[in-house]
Amino acid sequence: MRSSRRCSRNGCPRQAVATLTYVYNESTAVVGPLAAFAEPHTYDLCEPHARNLTAPRGWDVVRHEGEFEPPPPTTDDLVALAEAVREAARPAPRPPQDSSRQDHPQTPQTGRRGHLRVIPPTH
């Protein structure tokens, strides 16, 4: 899985690849590679918005000179995906059969297997 962080610009659906932060006391905007974690007072930007960012008059822009690339999948993302797949594949536990029900014919029940449901036929 890739990062689910999107560009902070209104209406932009692209994936974030850069982080914008401000150093107010030096009147500087800094655009660098995407930070590992989303922080308050920073903005995630897609590549076009990171490359074309302008700052107010009198401010400097310090921009990362390399390529902006999406972050690789983290092990947390992969572990979460594997756990979700295991949970979906796990069969539902069967209720215990008690001896009093053996005298009566079995009533059809709805079963569950993974993400599918088995619905008994109606007579």
Side-chain angles (χ1 to χ4, degrees):
M1 290 185 69
R2 294 248 179 218
S3 170
S4 62
R5 289 162 56 186
R6 298 281 174 212
C7 184
S8 297
R9 296 290 299 261
N10 287 338
C12 183
R14 292 186 282 264
Q15 182 178 3
V17 296
T19 297
L20 166 67
T21 187
Y22 296 102
V23 182
Y24 289 98
N25 61 351
E26 295 178 14
S27 299
T28 304
V30 180
V31 179
L34 187 64
F37 300 100
E39 298 282 338
H41 310 298
T42 62
Y43 302 91
D44 295 336
L45 300 174
C46 63
E47 186 168 3
H49 286 128
R51 296 264 179 233
N52 298 322
L53 178 92
T54 59
R57 185 174 294 150
W59 282 58
D60 295 320
V61 177
V62 176
R63 204 178 311 269
H64 173 69
E65 290 297 322
E67 292 294 317
F68 290 114
E69 295 181 15
T74 65
T75 56
D76 292 343
D77 292 339
L78 297 175
V79 169
L81 179 61
E83 289 297 326
V85 169
R86 278 190 210 108
E87 183 64 31
R90 187 172 292 140
R94 294 180 182 250
Q97 298 287 337
D98 61 3
S99 59
S100 64
R101 293 190 64 185
Q102 291 178 354
D103 298 337
H104 303 290
Q106 290 288 330
T107 58
Q109 296 180 355
T110 301
R112 181 166 170 83
R113 180 173 176 95
H115 65 281
L116 303 174
R117 291 190 187 278
V118 177
I119 301 173
T122 57
H123 296 289

